[in-house]
Each structure stands twice: as structure tokens, then as C-alpha cells.
Amino acid sequence: MWEALGTVRDLGRMQEIASVLIRYGFGDIVRRIGLAEWLERAGRLLHWHNADEMLRMSAATRVRRALEELGPTFVKLGQVMATRVDLLPPDWIAELSELQNAVPALPFAQVRPQLVADLGAPPEEIFARLDEQPLAAASLAQTHRAWLDDGRAVVLKIRRPGIGETIEADLRLLARLAELIEAHAPDLRRYRPTEVVRQFNVSLRRELDFAAECRHAEKIAANFAGHPEIFIPAVHWQWTCASLNVQDFVDGIPGRDLAGVDAAGLDRVALARRGAGIVLKMVLEDGYFHADPHPGNIFYLRDGRIGVIDFGMVGRLTEARRFEIARLLHGAVEHDAEAVTDVLLAWADGGLDVDEGRLQTDVALFVAQYRGVPLKELRIGQMLADITGILRDHSLVLPPDLALMIKAFLTLEGMGRQLDPDFDMASEARPYLQRVMLERFSPAQMWQRGRRGVGGLLELAGDLPRDLRRLLQAAKRGRLQLRVETEALKGFGDQVNRAANRLTMGIVTAALIIGSSIVMNSIGGVSSRWLLAMGVAGFVGAGLCGLWILYAIWRSR
């Protein structure tokens, strides 16, 4: 009943989403997931005409335009989907990557009240000067430049006012839409919409916390202590909170301004190698990396350093994952199809129905195309893109941390080639991969893994007599049970359970109606008002139970 009331509360937003999808030529999806029928029953009219201009666009372009029109939450969803190279083909990834900073800035007067609340005082009392013209605007926040009393320039990243309530409503609707898609659109089920929305929910809530973003920045800065080639702006914690981020201003050339790089006399080849080293260290050595290193987050400083900002989206890789990456790339270079297949199956843990023989054949063909290719001509980004293409063909899905890593590699290699057309990613990655492989089999690591394994084995051996005794005692007492579950029986049981719940509610509703009628006919004497109240409450309860039954029946159609 509560879910039904929540759905009614979001009815207007649901109609807006359906109208935008129809306008961009996705009316068939609206019909197939039952959204059109639901809104029409609720008395909401939908305009089904499609503009010819929209239909002439590619599907990826129409999706991007629709996400832009639906607002910040859906823009962020598109940005997250742009990292899922294992789910979407390259043309979709390229199109959704254009969603960066796709939201116009708000007038400063609209963000000032929240800024005052976050600072605890008017900004004029804290900063010597504040530029009301924003430096940039994104889906969740916009940035303004300010100056401290000592002349130091800082950047204020201010969360959009009211964005939290809007996002909460949109997340509820996205969760419901994902359920509808999985239930009513079998051909879209392979994209795992509920899992994507769950991942998006977690990622977006993390990005809304700007203090957490600053903690990510400081942790990565600590990992690069003693590495002067990278600049990560310092955080001013006295003014930073969940909705405000205050950091030093990065005075550099934006990553997409290659003409500015040349005008400043910077060495493009050195910048490409330096940037590759930074990301490779994050991914392969530290296992903690900037997951969205697009040109808008990269600055080239005039002294040759590279400035990195916006750590709202980070990825984490365990030691085992980093070894798997090294093993995968080593297997691709050494033409070991079996090793590559083993890694892919370990990554795609949910692919229980995969045809391993066909997968190994496809991997062997993939590996064969790199046979005899010199190391400097290998394109790691293209190799990873080909691997994700194989995963898509076999309906296998990568864990989110690996999807972020592959997207970071693709972006890195693209930026490196913009700086230097002869950029050799494979040669830059080779020493890092060798270190990961050597570290995995170093005496210290082998000793640690062996000690953990022996400890677990000894613990298992110590518990074995007790476990066997309990097992035998349970068998003697007739308490030994064998439990077998099948999906078909479980589904049938769920249907029986739902039917029993509705039948029970129907009986309760009928009892309330009959009891309330008897009470209403017994009114008289001093207790008449109490009897009247009880009778009215019974009828109201019966009405609510009836609404719940109707909603449950409609939802099961």
C-alpha cells in the first residue's frame, strides 16, 4: 500500500519521463514496460507523435538528448553508463561521454543561500573576493573562484540547491523502471537494468558527498608523495562539508586546449608519458584510481606538472584484481588464449550459462590478430575494447571496478594520442605490469599467502571433528535435512504466497465491512459516538484494503 502511495506521489515525474522518451522515439519501450497503460489508467494523457528530426538521429544520440532533458540525475546515469564498456558498444560510449558538464549554471543569487548556510557566514566575511560568474557547471554542482585574504586563489564547488530531493525522487522511479524493464522487456534484460541502477544509486550518493571527494583526493595525493610530476589541490577543511568543497585553484591549461599547450612551449611527448605514468601507478601499483580522467579534469601546468581535480568517482582494485589485469595483458601479448579465457571467466562471475568452448575460440581469434605485432604498435585501449566486445557477445558483465578501470585506460590512451600521435601505451605499461607480476610471486607475498592458507587449513582441521560429531548427532536424531531449490518451484511458491495474501486481505476486508455494518446499525445510547467512530474506521480500513488488493492485482498483470 505504501509503495502504491509512493508511486502516486511520483506520478507527475513519471509522466514527464514517459513524454520525453516518446518525444525522442522510444514510445515502444514505454508501451512494452507497461508505463503507458499505467499512466492512461491514472488519467494522464501522453502525446504519441514523434518529430521526424528526432527519428533521423541515431539511437545513441536520441538517448543522450533525452537524458540531458530529463535533468541532473539522468545526466549522471548517462555518465555512469559511459563507463560500462562491457555493456554498450563504442559508438554509445562515445555519445554518452558527451554528457560531461551538460547542465547550465544557476545564477549566483540562487546558490548564495546554500553557500551562506554551508560557510556559516556570508562569503564576504570569509573571502577577500568572490567571482559570481561560475568557472564551470555540472549536473550536481557548479564552481566559483574566490581569493583568501593572503591572495591565495581557491575554488568553491557548490552543490545545486534542492538537488537532493530531486535525486531521491528520480532514484525511486529509476528503481521501479528497472524492475518494469526486466519484467516486460526480455531482450533488454541482458543489460541488467536493476544492477546498473543499484550501482548508480551507490555511486551517485557517494558523489553527492563532497567531503568524501576531498578524502579521496587526499588519499591519492598521499600515494603520490615524492612524485613531483602530479599536482592535486589542497583541501581547506575549515569550509568543506558534504555540500561544499573548497580547494586550491589549479592555474593550468585545460586538457582539451592543445593550442594552449603549444603556446606555453610544453613538451607534448613528455606530458603524454607523464600522464600515462600517473594513471598506471594509480591502477596497477596503488589499486586506487581516478575513475573519470576526462580532459575537463586534467590541467597542464606551465612548469610541466599535471594537475588532476574532481575525485568524486574513484575506483578500487584489490591485489588479486591487479594481478588478473597483468595476466590478461600478458596472455594477450604472449598469445595464451587459455589464460585470457580463465581471467574473463573469473571476471564475469555471473555468467553461469556461458559456452566456454565458443568463448575460448573467440579469445583465440582475438589473440591471433596480435601475433607478430611489435610491442610499440600494440594499442592497449583497443585490446581492452575488443575484450569487452567479446564479453558483450557472450552476455557476460564485468564487475563495476573493472569497467571503471577499462574506461580509464581508454580515456588515457585517447588523451595520450591527442598529445602525441606516436604515443606508445604498451611500452609505458610494460614496467608496471612486470612489477605487478613480480610482486605477486615475491617471497614476501608468497609467504603471506602461504601463511594465510596454512592458517585456514589448520582451523578447518581443528573444527573437523566437532563438525563431524554434530553431523552424526543430527543424523541420529532425524534432523539431517537435504535442501534442494529450483527456480520454477520457487516462482510457483511465490505465486501461491501472493494469492494467499490477497485471499486473506479479501477475507479481512469482508469482515471489516460486515462488522462495521453491524456496529453502525447498533448505534444508540451514550456510546453512540464511539460506535459511529468505530464503524467509520472499519469502512475506511476496508476501503484501504480493497485499494491494496486492486493495486496488487493490477501490478501482477
Side-chain angles (χ1 to χ4, degrees):
M1 189 184 303
W2 182 254
E3 184 180 354
L5 293 174
T7 305
V8 171
R9 174 180 54 177
D10 297 327
L11 191 60
R13 181 59 169 160
M14 194 171 288
Q15 181 189 8
E16 182 182 353
I17 293 171
S19 298
V20 171
L21 291 175
I22 292 168
R23 184 160 61 254
Y24 284 93
F26 299 105
D28 181 57
I29 292 177
V30 174
R31 284 193 180 98
R32 288 167 60 193
I33 64 178
L35 196 58
E37 183 181 1
W38 199 95
L39 289 169
E40 287 167 0
R41 286 181 182 179
R44 299 298 182 108
L45 298 178
L46 295 174
H47 303 288
W48 290 98
H49 59 275
N50 292 315
D52 292 339
E53 177 190 357
M54 300 298 179
L55 294 177
R56 283 196 295 267
M57 296 179 184
S58 68
T61 302
R62 285 185 283 128
V63 167
R64 176 181 61 80
R65 294 276 296 272
L67 293 174
E68 288 175 350
E69 192 166 328
L70 286 171
T73 307
F74 290 85
V75 169
K76 292 303 298 182
L77 175 63
Q79 291 176 356
V80 170
M81 289 302 299
T83 68
R84 297 312 304 262
V85 292
D86 56 321
L87 293 178
L88 299 174
D91 57 330
W92 281 75
I93 297 296
E95 191 67 47
L96 293 176
S97 297
E98 296 297 319
L99 285 167
Q100 296 160 0
N101 299 330
V103 180
L106 294 174
F108 184 75
Q110 292 186 29
V111 301
R112 178 183 168 84
Q114 179 165 310
L115 179 59
V116 172
D118 292 336
L119 292 173
E124 295 81 7
E125 297 180 9
I126 296 176
F127 304 107
R129 184 159 61 95
L130 174 64
D131 190 355
E132 296 186 359
Q133 186 66 28
L135 289 171
S139 54
L140 301 182
Q142 61 189 53
T143 56
H144 292 261
R145 189 176 182 183
W147 287 262
L148 304 179
D149 291 334
D150 60 2
R152 190 175 181 179
V154 295
V155 172
L156 280 61
K157 183 177 180 180
I158 309 168
R159 195 164 71 188
R160 289 176 174 265
I163 194 71
E165 293 79 5
T166 303
I167 285 175
E168 287 298 329
D170 285 344
L171 287 176
R172 285 195 303 270
L173 290 175
L174 280 172
R176 181 66 183 133
L177 287 173
E179 293 174 0
L180 290 171
I181 289 172
E182 289 210 350
H184 300 286
D187 54 328
L188 299 178
R189 202 173 296 156
R190 67 181 294 267
Y191 295 107
R192 301 187 182 183
T194 54
E195 176 60 24
V196 170
V197 170
R198 188 200 63 79
Q199 175 200 345
F200 171 62
N201 194 327
V202 173
S203 173
L204 185 55
R205 292 183 189 279
R206 287 175 179 169
E207 285 195 65
L208 282 172
D209 187 353
F210 292 170
E213 174 187 336
C214 291
R215 289 192 290 272
H216 297 324
E218 288 196 337
K219 182 170 181 178
I220 291 179
N223 290 338
F224 278 90
H227 291 261
E229 67 272 14
I230 185 173
F231 173 74
I232 296 175
V235 179
H236 296 266
W237 283 107
Q238 65 269 39
W239 301 307
T240 294
C241 61
S243 54
L244 177 65
N245 172 356
V246 183
Q247 291 183 267
D248 282 348
F249 175 74
V250 180
D251 185 13
I253 302 166
R256 57 176 59 91
D257 185 8
L258 298 182
V261 171
D262 294 335
L266 296 176
D267 185 346
R268 285 197 185 192
V269 175
L271 288 176
R273 297 191 61 184
R274 202 166 293 139
I278 289 171
V279 176
L280 288 167
K281 173 177 163 46
M282 288 183 189
V283 173
L284 296 176
E285 286 191 4
D286 304 330
Y288 195 86
F289 61 95
H290 193 305
D292 193 22
H294 62 77
N297 292 335
I298 303 296
F299 292 87
Y300 302 120
L301 278 61
R302 287 167 177 80
D303 59 3
R305 291 181 297 167
I306 295 180
V308 186
I309 64 170
D310 192 359
F311 292 87
M313 187 183 296
V314 297
R316 299 170 178 82
L317 295 173
T318 63
E319 178 192 342
R321 280 272 194 259
R322 287 183 280 132
F323 172 71
E324 288 170 351
I325 295 166
R327 186 181 176 207
L328 174 82
L329 295 175
H330 183 266
V333 173
E334 298 297 327
H335 319 298
D336 187 350
E338 185 175 354
V340 175
T341 304
D342 290 343
V343 173
L344 294 183
L345 288 172
W347 283 359
D349 191 33
L352 300 178
D353 299 327
V354 64
D355 185 344
E356 293 190 24
R358 189 167 72 88
L359 175 63
Q360 188 160 352
T361 300
D362 290 346
V363 170
L365 293 174
F366 155 74
V367 168
Q369 66 182 325
Y370 294 103
R371 189 179 300 276
V373 177
L375 182 64
K376 68 177 183 178
E377 295 181 14
L378 289 178
R379 303 291 182 260
I380 289 184
Q382 185 58 49
M383 290 172 65
L384 292 173
D386 291 343
I387 288 171
T388 55
I390 293 173
L391 291 173
R392 284 195 302 272
D393 292 341
H394 290 264
S395 299
L396 298 175
V397 180
L398 285 174
D401 57 346
L402 289 168
L404 289 173
M405 182 274 298
I406 290 176
K407 179 63 165 57
F409 264 104
L410 291 170
T411 305
L412 168 65
E413 191 163 40
M415 291 182 63
R417 295 203 177 282
Q418 286 182 345
L419 287 168
D420 176 19
D422 297 324
F423 176 64
D424 181 5
M425 181 67 176
S427 295
E428 297 298 326
R430 188 175 189 177
Y432 292 92
L433 295 173
Q434 289 175 342
R435 279 199 292 271
V436 171
M437 297 286 285
L438 291 174
E439 180 185 353
R440 178 72 173 177
F441 297 107
S442 66
Q445 289 292 329
M446 294 286 286
W447 165 250
Q448 288 184 6
R449 288 198 299 276
R451 186 176 60 180
R452 288 195 297 266
V454 170
L457 184 61
L458 291 175
E459 184 177 355
L460 178 63
D463 293 339
L464 187 60
R466 182 187 61 189
D467 294 338
L468 286 174
R469 185 172 63 252
R470 289 179 178 176
L471 182 64
L472 292 173
Q473 288 174 350
K476 289 178 181 178
R477 295 171 185 171
R479 295 181 180 177
L480 190 62
Q481 297 179 350
L482 178 63
R483 185 175 179 180
V484 179
E485 289 188 4
T486 64
E487 289 297 324
L489 289 177
K490 185 176 183 300
F492 177 72
D494 291 340
Q495 289 180 355
V496 172
N497 187 38
R498 286 194 295 269
N501 288 339
R502 293 171 196 163
L503 180 60
T504 304
M505 288 296 292
I507 294 172
V508 171
T509 302
L512 284 172
I513 293 172
I514 295 171
S516 300
S517 300
I518 293 173
V519 170
M520 296 291 284
N521 288 324
S522 302
I523 293 176
V526 179
S527 60
S528 296
R529 285 180 298 176
W530 294 106
L531 290 173
L532 177 62
M534 290 176 61
V536 172
F539 280 120
V540 171
L544 291 175
C545 290
L547 287 174
W548 182 87
I549 294 171
L550 290 174
Y551 171 73
I553 293 173
W554 169 83
R555 184 176 176 183
S556 64
R557 290 184 57 186

